[in-house]
Amino acid sequence: MTSGIEDAQGCGAGLEVNPVGARVGIRATTPSGELSLICTPARARELAAALALAADEADSAASAQPVTVRARELRRGDVRDGDRAMTVDGIRVDGATAHVTWKSGAGRSWTQGYDAEAEITLRRRGGSH
């Protein structure tokens, strides 16, 4: 995978992630060399969560002003405004209640009920319906 990946000098770089037995291999290649790492699945998940959080933070920093929507209008990928990244993983509206499943940057998820008309401030609008 090279699209969107550059080394510190702005040259295209490659990144490969593959299973290596019961562990995960990560190989980065640049014009100046190569780096190979092997880590446990748990450490790979921590790395993935950190990368996802950093990407969310970078997207948020580049976005416009926060937007406020009704709970029933939330959609998958919306990111709630606040100190910590909370992303909508799913939503189900049942009458006057919106059941929102959130996912944290660390990969934890939980479901919370809101009045369907409650206003939720978003840092960034997410994916499509």
Side-chain angles (χ1 to χ4, degrees):
M1 165 192 319
T2 59
S3 180
I5 300 175
E6 299 176 348
D7 66 10
Q9 289 73 39
C11 297
L15 183 64
E16 294 177 21
V17 179
N18 296 299
V20 178
R23 299 190 300 170
V24 178
I26 302 169
R27 185 172 144 233
T29 56
T30 68
S32 61
E34 179 179 304
L35 174 65
S36 292
L37 305 167
I38 296 177
C39 57
T40 65
R43 191 67 176 146
R45 284 186 197 91
E46 289 174 15
L47 176 60
L51 289 170
L53 180 59
D56 282 347
E57 293 296 326
D59 283 346
S60 295
S63 69
Q65 296 294 320
V67 61
T68 300
V69 300
R70 288 187 168 85
R72 66 179 161 75
E73 298 169 347
L74 288 169
R75 58 187 188 219
R76 184 180 177 96
D78 284 345
V79 178
R80 185 154 187 182
D81 193 32
D83 294 340
R84 297 182 184 193
M86 292 174 29
T87 304
V88 174
D89 195 40
I91 179 164
R92 180 179 55 86
V93 179
D94 182 18
T97 305
H99 302 275
V100 181
T101 301
W102 297 99
K103 192 166 198 173
S104 73
R108 289 185 220 96
S109 64
W110 66 96
T111 301
Q112 191 167 351
Y114 297 89
D115 181 298
E117 299 301 314
E119 293 187 343
I120 308 291
T121 302
L122 302 175
R123 188 184 297 183
R124 174 174 57 85
R125 281 310 314 238
S128 59
H129 298 281

